[in-house]
Each structure stands twice: as C-alpha cells, then as structure tokens.
Amino acid sequence: MAPQDWRTYLVTQESLSAGRSTVDIARAAIEGGVDAIQLRDKDQSARRRYETGQRLRELTAEAGVDLLVNDRVDLALAIGADGVHLGQSDLPVPAARELLGEDAVIGKSASFVEEARQAEREEADYLGVGAVYGTSSKDVPDDEADFGPERVRNIVDAVGIPVVGIGGITASNAAGVAEAGAAGVAVITEITQAEDPAAATRDLREAVERGREE
C-alpha cells in the first residue's frame, strides 16, 4: 500500500501498552484495519527489537500491512521491513535509500515547512508531521509541539508528497487533521492504551475518513 492510502498508522511502544506486548497490540490493530505499523519501542535492546520485528514482519506480511522501523536502517534491513521512518537527526534520506533500495518506503519527520521541503527534495516518500497536539508519548521541543491542524495544512500545501499527522491525535480530533489535508494519522497511545485496540483503530479510521470527506 502506498503512503497516500494510509489512514491509520500505529507506532509501537510496549511500555505504553497497558501491560500487553507490542505483538498483541499490533495483532489487534491489524484486526481493526490499520494500514501501517512502525516498530519504535526505543526503550528495548536491539536484540529484543529485532525479535519483536521478526514477529511483526510475519503478521504484517500475512495481512498486507506495511511495516516500517523507527530510525534504524540496519534493523529494517535485518527484519525485511518495507521501510524506515527517519527523524531530523537520523541518516539523510538518500543514504537510507542507498542501503534499503529504491522500493523501500522512507518517511521523514517534519515540523516546519522548510524541513518538509528539504525532505521532499531528498525524495522522501512521505512526511510525519507533528506534534499536531500536545503529547506525553515523547519529548517534543516547545516550537514543535501542539501547533494544530493549520500547520499541517501549510505543509500539505507546500509539498507534493503524502503527509501523516502525529502527536496527541485521537478519534475525537483526527477528522480535523485529515480535513487539513493529511492522508492519515499516526498514533501511539490512542491504540496501545485502548481497552480494545481493534475498536480504537476502527474509530480512528472512521474519523479520518470523515475528515477527508469534508
């Protein structure tokens, strides 16, 4: 599936999964119709992430869901992931592309229009734009936090590649992010901490679809 078709995108974090494993959360999200899963779990050892990634690769390959790895190009290669998501301080997109190949999906984080334009010049396949709303899932500098859908719209208008909104997104505010032009939304706790992650994924997808119709 191409990034422009992603509506719901799960970013994994076992420490924020209410005592459940990343694999269990991913399985439920797949049941709920998730389009892409990013292996994050930054607090785990490289070996543990590799083992988790192997299991996620089995699940996602069977379900036709895209699997990406946060930051680590080597781990993406090791588990046969579909691609990688890079932050501003990670490898440049062209370097990752050289290692992963032309068919890999490579995303880049961006909080500002110029960052987005630079990622497009580097031929990133999509942008992760945020933090759209306040979030406790990761540390975000003040000027990159809680900027709302309007900046998403500004970035969408500035580039020609798909944008995925991230940061503090829930089923109650996802429609506004999609209405601003985002292809979809990426979340951690909206799915990982939900009592029913499959239902939470479905609710999120419905909200995105509503926003895209408005």
Side-chain angles (χ1 to χ4, degrees):
M1 184 179 295
Q4 63 261 29
D5 298 320
W6 294 343
R7 301 294 176 259
T8 54
Y9 182 134
L10 168 66
V11 181
T12 71
Q13 188 62 39
E14 194 163 288
S15 62
L16 297 175
S17 297
R20 298 164 294 191
S21 74
T22 283
V23 173
D24 286 341
I25 295 294
R27 186 180 290 112
I30 289 170
E31 179 186 339
V34 79
D35 299 305
I37 295 176
Q38 180 191 132
L39 173 60
R40 186 171 183 264
D41 288 294
K42 285 192 171 185
D43 54 351
Q44 293 184 357
S45 68
R47 184 179 184 89
R48 177 79 184 281
R49 288 174 75 189
Y50 170 70
E51 292 168 349
T52 300
Q54 286 183 306
R55 297 182 68 188
L56 291 183
R57 176 70 290 183
E58 292 174 4
L59 287 174
T60 55
E62 182 177 351
V65 169
D66 290 320
L67 175 64
L68 298 100
V69 174
N70 180 276
D71 299 348
R72 295 282 300 272
V73 174
D74 58 339
L75 182 56
L77 276 169
I79 66 172
D82 297 296
V84 67
H85 186 87
L86 303 170
Q88 287 293 314
S89 61
D90 294 325
L91 281 178
V93 171
R97 179 81 64 198
E98 185 173 350
L99 292 167
L100 292 173
E102 289 301 316
D103 293 336
V105 178
I106 300 180
K108 187 85 170 184
S109 295
S111 298
F112 306 99
V113 166
E114 187 46 48
E115 290 178 348
R117 287 175 170 157
Q118 178 59 32
E120 183 174 40
R121 287 192 290 269
E122 293 181 357
E123 299 186 349
D125 295 298
Y126 75 94
L127 298 170
V129 173
V132 182
Y133 302 108
T135 177
S136 60
S137 299
K138 59 182 293 188
D139 293 330
V140 180
D142 289 344
D143 62 345
E144 298 177 16
D146 199 15
F147 53 62
E150 188 56 37
R151 196 186 298 180
V152 174
R153 186 181 300 279
N154 291 341
I155 290 176
V156 168
D157 290 343
V159 298
I161 56 177
V163 165
V164 175
I166 188 169
I169 295 173
T170 67
S172 63
N173 62 29
V177 182
E179 189 176 354
V185 296
V187 302
I188 299 178
T189 57
E190 179 71 356
I191 292 176
T192 65
Q193 293 191 341
E195 183 176 343
D196 185 341
T201 305
R202 285 191 289 270
D203 290 346
L204 199 62
R205 171 178 285 280
E206 290 172 5
V208 171
E209 295 290 5
R210 281 199 310 274
R212 288 178 59 83
E213 291 169 359
E214 293 178 0

